[in-house]
Amino acid sequence: MTINFGNPDRPNSYIGRTVPRPNARRLVEGRGRYVDDIVLPRMLHVAFVRSPHAHARILSVDTQEAAAVRGVRRIFTGTELAEHCTPWVAVLAHLKGLKSAPQHALAVDRVTWTGEAVVAVVADSRAAAEDGAALVEVEYDPLPVVTDIRTALDAATPLIHPDLGDNLTFRRLHEQGEVDTVFAEAHTVVEASFKTGRHTGVCLEPRSILADYNPAEGQMTVHHSTQAPHMMQSIIARHLDLPEGKVRVICGDVGGSYGIKVHVYPDEMATAAIAKAMGRPVKFIADRIESFTTDIHARDHEIDARIAIDGEGKILAIDVDDWTGIGPYSVYPRTSAIEGNQVVNLCGGPYDFAAYRARTTVVLQNKTPTCQYRAVGHPIAAAITEGLVDFAAEALGMDPVEIRRRNLIKDDAYPYTSPANMRFEGLSHHASLAKLLELMDYDGLRAEQAALREKGIYRGIGIASFIELTNPSPFMYGIGGARISAQDGCTVRMDPDGSVVAMSGVTEQGQGTEAMLAQVVAEAVGVPVGRVKVITGDTQTTPYGGGTWASRGAGIGGEAALQAGLALKESILTVAASMLQASAEGLDIVDGAVADKATGEARMPLEELGRIVYFRGDTLPKGLPRELVQTRHFITSDYPFAFTNGVQASYLEVDTETGFVKLLKHWCVEDCGRVINPQLVDEQIRGGIVQGIGGALYEECHYDEDGQLLNANMADYLVPMAAEMPDMVIGHVETPTKESVLGAKGAGEAGTAGAPAAVMNAINDALRPLGGRVTEMPFTPARILAALGTV
Amino acid sequence: MSDTAQSFPTRVDISLTVNGEPVDARVDVSRHLVDFLRLDLGLTGAHAGCEHGVCGACTLQVDGEIVRGCLMLAAQLDGAEVWTVEGLTETGALADLQAAFVERNALQCGFCTPGMLFAAADILAQGGQPSRVAIREHISGNYCRCTGYEAVVDAIETVAGARARGEEVSA
């Protein structure tokens, strides 16, 4: 069965329409159920004693005074907890040479970043646990600290893990074509160095876990604020020595995640291990300083790059040397090499050129571990690429739009393999750029900009094209040995009243997964969307799946739901044909009733069919299939990833006296294939853009040379607030993937991928007449004034 | 018992109204308002996001003013009138705003939303049609990491317009 998406008047046409989210009403009424809202009988709370040193040997731990605090029930040191939870090493086989050290749930012998959990204090209340933690005496012997990325591999730099032999965790060099020759012979070569600020996700709901072990059943039930319940099931089972089948992970409402909650955190593993050791429910909710010092950080990159062009502005070669610091451990199980690897894969991505060299060097530091955060590597690759392209245009005196027109991969060139060996099924760079220019009235803005410059007002226009990796296959993690499913499933069931229940392995963190699934299933089966109940986030009841990451919910989970819904429809029509003495081919389901396909005339409500199947099966022919439950799984197989594309523009004003940037407006045209719910997609793009703007203008984890995080609170770590953000205009070009019937690609990360590059290019466009240039994010007033030479 | 211990008890008795209902409680003097509501009364609509008064996720109403639930102690509440999102949902005071938030998808994860609704209701209570700039300024004490704020501004602007025109918006 297929769906005629070309006909907007088709029956049950929910796919492509804005349908309200089924869970939104609950959330505006304060009826959400986040992990911290759950209270279980005999529940205990854990608080952690954390390292005040970036690197130190643990000499002794004295828990005597803490144990005497009223309400404290038990205290675990690293050594004690290691008996209940095995350590992990975060490597992937396909990332050749990647190495990391064994990491424990609680530090054993040595601490390697400020904030690392050392001792767990378990008590009747969080307050009592914190009172106890404050009285634990840990004696440390401070060790030399490694903070700088570029000197991490120097012989004089101390080793963070002596057993590894050096501080290099991963290095990859990719080279295509005669790069050095092309650069030597090119008309023009432009070089630039870039920095992207180390930042973090600042989920408003801190990381949260409530682990409940029932020794009588040998059953572990974990309520977890996570994006990947099945992955967590597998990992908790392995490291706590439980059968996977005895671990159930339940993920209710999640208060923001953006990639932060798709990783394994030592304190969360400790909480689960303590629950098992004590046979009682144990809750851990990170507080805000714990969030800043132990949620993964990301984007700590320093890059030297150059681009070679001919006299017409044609890109001939790009050469990128990327360095990144990931903290003391590669993060389990996705590893901390992926971000640098993505930079190698993605630089130059939108453009048609031949010679490419990129190297990433991933080093260890005594800072918070880094790992995958929304748009992993893309904002860095886009900043490098789009920065270089703008500087190249400037060198030739060419308009930034014109140089892109000359170099973007042509819309009819697909399938196309990039010099980084990325395979693109179908992209729409030129159509997207054309639409963007129309939406923003590019020529009009340029005229306004020129007129205002006469008055000493410095406005800038920045353009950034980008590609975005979505719908990942097992090539992302599975082939490297990680038990992270790239396949996802959906079970769709019709109940006696004709209502439909859909259970999916992809998860909801607010992006609208459940709305998307409901409308796909409603259309596939042929019922009103309000009659579909969606269940996600429970490893015991949903089909096995990967959850939500790498923008896979709609493209993978949506297709599984579509196929399951179509299969259920077929099952229903088999029964209906028998009941109505008609051929199944001549019947359809429209708006919750079996109907004549040709005329649309309703023949029988689904409630009647449900009544007969469930309560009067005796009246149906013996042997008639009557399976009103269908499950389908989907996995991509033609391409390792479904790439999307898009282009963003930023219009802003720089106050050359103060260095402040005022964002005036932002545009994004993107192509995520089939748009299932236009409003939800647009809001994903808007939210993503603002997170990207955060990295461009505000967000940075400041460390001193001792490895102390200086701004680990919300007052000092700046994020975008409403007053500073612009209105955003979103447009779409739709190039559906042919790998699925649904044709959807991912949309959740595109905003974040391109926004920093667009803002950077706009600031530099504003500064150009004054001769300044910024390439180090975030672009703070101080950095802008420094670029202008005024401070 | 020393004089100091007598003058600084660790628990105090308070009588207040919460969502229009009388509440008598004996609270630890260190109990924050948001914890009192969440842990003692089971009102989990207000969320603890930062516990240092910055994020706004615990914003609620005490004696007609919006306050941070994490910056006020339960011990300060004797005689106070407290309203949370649960209570204002029952009275219907937020109904048009809540409907507009759902309609415009002005929430994603929903963690900031109860606090954001209080900030929004506060500017709406001033009457008239505030500008988008004024709306953005007024909600600048409330973090939202999901939406990028535009949909929130749109929803508040829509409700302000409807209220200014005297229109009824049903939930």
Side-chain angles (χ1 to χ4, degrees), chain A residues 507-591:
Chain A
T507 51
E508 167 79 60
Q509 292 87 33
Q511 65 276 67
T513 303
E514 293 187 354
M516 175 276 293
L517 291 169
Q519 63 192 109
V520 166
V521 169
E523 169 139 15
V525 180
V527 298
V529 69
R531 302 219 71 189
V532 180
K533 166 83 178 168
V534 175
I535 294 171
T536 63
D538 184 345
T539 57
Q540 190 161 292
T541 57
T542 68
Y544 203 94
T548 305
W549 43 275
S551 296
R552 66 186 295 280
I556 308 291
E559 178 69 9
L562 180 73
Q563 296 299 340
L566 291 171
L568 175 62
K569 179 181 193 173
E570 201 173 317
S571 304
I572 293 168
L573 291 181
T574 300
V575 177
S578 172
M579 290 173 67
L580 297 170
Q581 303 288 297
S583 86
E585 291 70 38
L587 296 173
D588 197 1
I589 305 174
V590 178
D591 214 19

Side-chain angles (χ1 to χ4, degrees), chain A residues 479-752:
Chain A
I479 60 166
R483 288 169 73 85
I484 300 170
S485 177
Q487 172 181 282
D488 230 294
C490 186
T491 294
V492 175
R493 176 181 93 216
M494 192 194 104
D495 284 342
D497 68 345
S499 64
V500 172
V501 178
M503 290 161 281
S504 171
V506 294
T507 51
E508 167 79 60
Q509 292 87 33
Q511 65 276 67
T513 303
E514 293 187 354
M516 175 276 293
L517 291 169
Q519 63 192 109
V520 166
V521 169
E523 169 139 15
V525 180
V527 298
V529 69
R531 302 219 71 189
V532 180
K533 166 83 178 168
V534 175
I535 294 171
T536 63
D538 184 345
T539 57
Q540 190 161 292
T541 57
T542 68
Y544 203 94
T548 305
W549 43 275
S551 296
R552 66 186 295 280
I556 308 291
E559 178 69 9
L562 180 73
Q563 296 299 340
L566 291 171
L568 175 62
K569 179 181 193 173
E570 201 173 317
S571 304
I572 293 168
L573 291 181
T574 300
V575 177
S578 172
M579 290 173 67
L580 297 170
Q581 303 288 297
S583 86
E585 291 70 38
L587 296 173
D588 197 1
I589 305 174
V590 178
D591 214 19
V594 178
D596 185 86
K597 195 177 216 166
T599 65
E601 185 195 345
R603 299 282 306 273
M604 175 174 57
L606 289 179
E607 293 94 310
E608 177 59 10
L609 186 140
R611 184 182 72 84
I612 295 298
V613 167
Y614 288 107
F615 308 121
R616 290 305 310 271
D618 58 303
T619 65
L620 295 171
K622 183 180 177 185
L624 178 77
R626 58 194 76 179
E627 293 296 335
L628 300 188
V629 185
Q630 294 292 336
T631 299
R632 292 292 181 275
H633 289 82
F634 180 67
I635 186 166
T636 53
S637 44
D638 296 338
Y639 286 84
F641 313 104
F643 276 94
T644 69
N645 68 279
V647 57
Q648 297 191 26
S650 168
Y651 187 45
L652 52 76
E653 187 172 310
V654 178
D655 184 328
T656 54
E657 297 281 316
T658 64
F660 272 88
V661 172
K662 182 172 175 54
L663 301 169
L664 301 169
K665 200 149 188 171
H666 200 100
W667 296 263
C668 177
V669 174
E670 68 86 57
D671 184 346
C672 63
R674 176 112 42 231
V675 172
I676 299 169
N677 186 320
Q679 183 187 57
L680 294 183
V681 170
D682 285 0
E683 294 316 311
Q684 278 300 294
I685 303 286
R686 287 197 174 93
I689 287 169
V690 167
Q691 276 189 334
I693 289 171
L697 293 181
Y698 310 112
E699 299 187 41
E700 185 172 25
C701 300
H702 291 286
Y703 279 89
D704 69 11
E705 58 191 17
D706 295 325
Q708 293 292 336
L709 180 54
L710 302 176
N711 59 338
N713 65 75
M714 281 183 164
D716 293 327
Y717 179 99
L718 303 181
V719 301
M721 300 302 290
E724 287 79 31
M725 288 304 103
D727 282 341
M728 295 161 271
V729 177
I730 313 299
H732 300 279
V733 173
E734 292 189 53
T735 310
T737 172
K738 297 184 186 75
E739 279 221 51
S740 66
V741 173
L742 191 57
K745 301 184 252 188
E749 301 175 275
T752 309

Side-chain angles (χ1 to χ4, degrees), chain A residues 228-238 242-249 539-540 544:
Chain A
H230 284 102
M231 181 194 89
M232 289 309 304
Q233 174 192 27
S234 172
I235 282 167
I236 289 167
R238 186 179 328 161
L242 288 163
E244 274 190 21
K246 287 289 190 183
V247 177
R248 178 185 187 183
V249 177
T539 57
Q540 190 161 292
Y544 203 94

Side-chain angles (χ1 to χ4, degrees), chain A residues 102-115:
Chain A
Q103 184 177 16
H104 287 270
L106 295 177
V108 175
D109 299 334
R110 207 159 51 93
V111 290
T112 54
W113 85 90
T114 57

Side-chain angles (χ1 to χ4, degrees), chain A residues 780-791:
Chain A
T780 58
R783 285 179 181 143
I784 288 172
L785 291 179
L788 288 171
T790 55
V791 292

Side-chain angles (χ1 to χ4, degrees), chain A residues 49-61 78 103-119 138-146 159-161 328-329 365-367 706 708:
Chain A
V49 178
R50 295 182 181 276
S51 171
H53 298 283
H55 196 191
R57 238 186 309 277
I58 300 169
L59 298 178
S60 65
V61 178
Q103 184 177 16
H104 287 270
L106 295 177
V108 175
D109 299 334
R110 207 159 51 93
V111 290
T112 54
W113 85 90
T114 57
E116 184 172 5
V118 179
V119 178
V138 184
E139 195 183 349
Y140 296 97
D141 175 25
L143 294 167
V145 172
V146 180
L159 298 185
I160 293 179
H161 300 295
Y329 295 99
Q365 309 156 295
N366 294 114
K367 296 183 181 178
D706 295 325
Q708 293 292 336

